[in-house]
Amino acid sequence: VRNLSTKQTHSTFALHSIKMGRRPARCVRFQKNKPYIKSRFCRGVPDSKIRIYDCGAKKTNVDVFPFVAHLVSDEKEQLTACALEAARVACNKYLVKNTGKEGYHIRTRAHPFHVIRQNKMLSCAGADRLSSGMRHSFGKPMEMAARISIGQIIVSVRSKDNNAHHVIEALRRAKFKFPGRQKIMKSNKWGFTKFDREEYVKGRKEGWIRPDGCSVKYIAEHGPISEKNHVTHNSSE
């Protein structure tokens, strides 16, 4: 066996150690420049870690789950796809255990479209001889992130009223997967609809709100008269 010199050994070791690990999310937490999305100019972007945005009993009728709570961001920042997936898994696992598989519907409202670049640098013996430092430092696409603003909803969960405390605890556990501050807010709306509870009950009774999967259809007073559109709104109350 031929003996290698110290210089050759260091160079060989450095070449085998080029693959760099994922940097911690604190490196990409803040929104810095314009959105940088996947396009025909930005190719070779790895797939987002989060692939499922709705989980639980997502086909349950809108009338069954009146309670809804939201995890709302209190900071302008970036959330990586890994963090969104980790929060979804943590929230889902707690609710499956405490409410059953058919007792809730989780919807992740933030989508990671922003591409995170990293300038790969060597951090091993002999790296100073091989690496180019800050020359040609425009990085390669490494992961995806969602750009979040203050007051933006990150995760929403709907369920029955008797499971409200379980939903709030699940969202509290999901908070630990994100940097920055978040708030858990109970909504006055009926499920994922845009109608308040009293308005929803009145609309369902009078027929100008009709269930449509996990949301509803609003039947307007105006427009062509048909079998599906002939409701008179009682505005005297």
Side-chain angles (χ1 to χ4, degrees):
V1 178
R2 179 167 71 88
N3 290 328
L4 294 173
S5 66
T6 310
K7 187 174 181 180
Q8 285 176 316
T9 309
H10 285 172
S11 300
T12 309
F13 176 73
L15 288 169
H16 286 297
S17 307
I18 285 175
K19 189 175 180 181
M20 189 186 69
R22 180 178 168 273
R23 286 183 190 161
R26 65 173 176 266
C27 301
V28 294
R29 177 181 160 189
F30 299 109
Q31 294 184 26
K32 188 180 171 189
N33 299 318
K34 294 177 183 178
Y36 186 67
I37 60 168
K38 184 178 179 180
S39 66
R40 68 179 190 271
F41 309 111
C42 174
R43 300 178 302 276
V45 177
D47 288 335
S48 172
K49 295 290 183 188
I50 181 167
R51 308 295 291 174
I52 301 168
Y53 291 89
D54 284 83
C55 55
K58 56 189 177 184
K59 292 186 179 179
T60 303
N61 193 281
V62 66
D63 292 331
V64 179
F65 290 156
F67 176 80
V68 64
H70 305 292
L71 185 62
V72 181
S73 175
D74 207 23
E75 288 189 20
K76 182 182 178 182
E77 59 181 350
Q78 292 182 165
L79 301 179
T80 62
C82 288
L84 290 168
E85 174 66 7
R88 185 193 67 82
V89 169
C91 188
N92 186 55
K93 190 170 284 188
Y94 182 84
L95 288 173
V96 166
K97 185 178 177 182
N98 291 280
T99 68
K101 288 183 179 178
E102 301 299 317
Y104 66 93
H105 175 195
I106 302 170
R107 176 172 286 172
T108 305
R109 306 275 292 272
H111 288 242
F113 292 119
H114 182 69
V115 178
I116 301 296
R117 298 189 309 265
Q118 286 183 17
N119 177 27
K120 292 185 179 178
M121 313 237 347
L122 300 175
S123 58
C124 53
D128 51 340
R129 296 191 198 91
L130 296 167
S131 64
S132 57
M134 290 300 288
R135 293 178 194 152
H136 308 292
S137 59
F138 194 86
K140 297 284 190 296
M142 293 295 288
E143 59 180 330
M144 306 291 284
R147 291 164 72 93
I148 306 293
S149 56
I150 295 171
Q152 183 174 338
I153 298 172
I154 304 169
V155 181
S156 298
V157 184
R158 67 183 180 118
S159 72
K160 295 179 180 177
D161 285 324
N162 58 351
N163 289 327
H165 59 290
H166 290 312
V167 170
I168 291 168
E169 173 60 18
L171 289 175
R172 190 188 70 86
R173 293 184 178 213
K175 275 204 312 184
F176 296 133
K177 308 300 179 184
F178 296 129
R181 295 174 184 231
Q182 291 83 32
K183 290 180 178 175
I184 298 167
M185 295 190 173
K186 289 198 294 184
S187 177
N188 294 326
K189 307 291 182 188
W190 184 288
F192 289 162
T193 68
K194 62 181 181 180
F195 299 102
D196 288 339
R197 288 198 173 205
E198 296 80 10
E199 193 179 8
Y200 180 88
V201 172
K202 181 185 173 186
R204 289 286 284 121
K205 197 177 292 183
E206 295 177 1
W208 47 270
I209 289 179
R210 291 187 181 165
D212 182 32
C214 64
S215 188
V216 291
K217 280 183 178 176
Y218 171 73
I219 308 300
E221 276 188 292
H222 306 284
I225 296 174
S226 65
E227 287 185 10
K228 293 185 178 180
N229 189 5
H230 58 276
V231 178
T232 303
H233 294 228
N234 294 328
S235 57
S236 57
E237 295 181 29

